[in-house]
C-alpha cells in the first residue's frame, strides 16, 4: 500500500528527533566514533539493528551493511525494496542493488527478477565472478546457480496498487511518498574499515528495463576506505547525472565535512535542474573515516537512521535545500 511517510512520522517517531541538536553538535566537534552505521529512511532503524549485531561484536562493516540491507528486502510491507516492491508498468518487480567494501571490491545487479535478496546476489557477483555487474536474465541465472530461490515478488497489495495506477498510467514520482525509496546503508567497523550497500525496487511503474542509480557504483554508493563513504536515495536519474556518491566522497577528500559534501552535491542537482528540482526528492548520506556523518536532501522529509555509541539507534530528519 502506498502510504504517506510524513503521516507515519507524526504517528510514530517524532520523539526520535529530540536528539537532533546533540547530533549536530557532535558532528561539529568531529569526535571520532566507531563502530557506526547510518542508513536511509525509516526502515533504516530496523536495518541498523541487524547491522549493529555484527558491528558491536567486532564484525566487518561489509557483513553489517549486507545484513542491514536484507531487512527491508525481506519485508513484504516495504513497497520500495525487495519482496513486495512496486513493479514496473508491465507489472514486473525488477530489483537493483550494489555493494562495496574497504578494498574497493564491488558487485552489482540490475533488473533482477524473482530474487528476494539482490544485495546478497551483488555480493556473490563481487566475490565469485571476474565481473562487477550482472543484469536481467544473466543476473537471475547467476543467482540461481548460487543457490538463491526463485520467488514471486509481486504481493497482492502491490498488484492491486499497480492495477489502480494502470487506470491513469501517469508516471509522476512524488516526494517522500512511498512510490520510490531505497535503502542505502554505510558503516564503519571497529577496525575502522568502511563498507556500503544499496538496494531498491526503483521508481514505481518505471519503464520496463529502467535502471536507476541504486546499482551504480559512484552514483548511489561509493566507499573510499581512506576518506569515507556515501549513499543516495531519490530520483536516480538526477543522482546518475552528477555521479552523486562519488562526488560526495571526493568533496570530503578535498576537505569538506560529510555534511558540507552532501549539501554541495544537492546544490549541484539544483544547478542542473533549477525548476524540476523543486518537485523531486534526492537525499545523500555521508560517513567519514573518523566516524563523522552528515545528510542533506532537496526536500524536507528525508529521514535517516544512525546507530552509534552514545547515540543509540535514532531516526533524524535531514536538513534540506527547499
Ligand atoms: N534511487 C532510486 C531509483 O531511482 C529510488 C529512490 O531511492 O527513491 O531507482
Amino acid at each position: 500500500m502506498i502510504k504517506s511517510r510524513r503521516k507515519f512520522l507524526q504517528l510514530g517517531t517524532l520523539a526520535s528527533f529530540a536528539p537532533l541538536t546533540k547530533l549536530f553538535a557532535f558532528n561539529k566537534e568531529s569526535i571520532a566514533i566507531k563502530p557506526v552505521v547510518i542508513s536511509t529512511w525509516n526502515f533504516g532503524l530496523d536495518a541498523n539493528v541487524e547491522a549493529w549485531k555484527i558491528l558491536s561484536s567486532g564484525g566487518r562493516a561489509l557483513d553489517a551493511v549486507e545484513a542491514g540491507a536484507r531487512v527491508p528486502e525481506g519485508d513484504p510491507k516495504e513497497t520500495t525494496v525487495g519482496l513486495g516492491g512496486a513493479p514496473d508498468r508491465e507489472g514486473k518487480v525488477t530489483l537493483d542493488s550494489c555493494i562495496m567494501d574497504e578494498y574497493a571490491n564491488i558487485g552489482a545487479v540490475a533488473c533482477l527478477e524473482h530474487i528476494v535478496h539482490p544485495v546478497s546476489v551483488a555480493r556473490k557477483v563481487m566475490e565469485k565472478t571476474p565481473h562487477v555487474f550482472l543484469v536481467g536474465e544473466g543476473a537471475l541465472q547467476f543467482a540461481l546457480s548460487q543457490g538463491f530461490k526463485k520467488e514471486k515478488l509481486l504481493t497482492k497489495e502491490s498488484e492491486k496498487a499497480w492495477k489502480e495506477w494502470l487506470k491513469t498510467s501517469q508516471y509522476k514520482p512524488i516526494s517522500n511518498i512511498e512510490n520510490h525509496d531505497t535503502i542505502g546503508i554505510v558503516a564503519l567497523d571497529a577496525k575502522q574499515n568502511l563498507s556500503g550497500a544499496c538496494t531498491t525496487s526503483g521508481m514505481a511503474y518505471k519503464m520496463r528495463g529502467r535502471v536507476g542509480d541504486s546499482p551504480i557504483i559512484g552514483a548511489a554508493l561509493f566507499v573510499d576506505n581512506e576518506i569515507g563513504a556515501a549513499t543516495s536515495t531519490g530520483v536516480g536519474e538526477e543522482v546518475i547525472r552528477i555521479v552523486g556518491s562519488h562526488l560526495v566522497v571526493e568533496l570530503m577528500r578535498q576537505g569538506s565535512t560529510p555534511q558540507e559534501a552532501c549539501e554541495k552535491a544537492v546544490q549541484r542537482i539544483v544547478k542542473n535542474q533549477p525548476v524540476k528540482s523543486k518537485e523531486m526528492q534526492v537525499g545523500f548520506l555521508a560517513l567519514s573515516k573518523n566516524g563523522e556523518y552528515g545528510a542533506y536532501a532537496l526536500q524536507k522529509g528525508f529521514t535517516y537512521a544512525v546507530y552509534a555509541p552514545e547515540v543509540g539507534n535514532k531516526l533524524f530528519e535531514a536538513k534540506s535545500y527547499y
Side-chain angles (χ1 to χ4, degrees), residues 159-232:
E159 189 172 5
K160 204 172 146 210
W162 166 60
K163 288 193 172 149
E164 199 49 43
W165 177 82
L166 281 177
K167 289 180 187 163
T168 55
S169 297
Q170 258 201 338
Y171 183 69
K172 198 167 181 282
I174 307 163
S175 296
N176 301 325
I177 303 288
E178 289 177 350
N179 65 353
H180 64 96
D181 278 351
T182 295
I183 180 146
I185 176 166
V186 288
L188 179 70
D189 63 29
K191 295 195 176 102
Q192 217 174 354
N193 286 320
L194 290 156
S195 287
C198 192
T199 181
T200 191
S201 50
M203 309 300 279
Y205 322 130
K206 61 195 176 186
M207 288 175 69
R208 178 122 182 95
R210 181 264 186 189
V211 172
D213 58 327
S214 306
I216 300 180
I217 294 291
L221 180 70
F222 197 68
V223 176
D224 183 318
N225 206 42
E226 285 181 4
I227 306 296
T231 189
S232 70

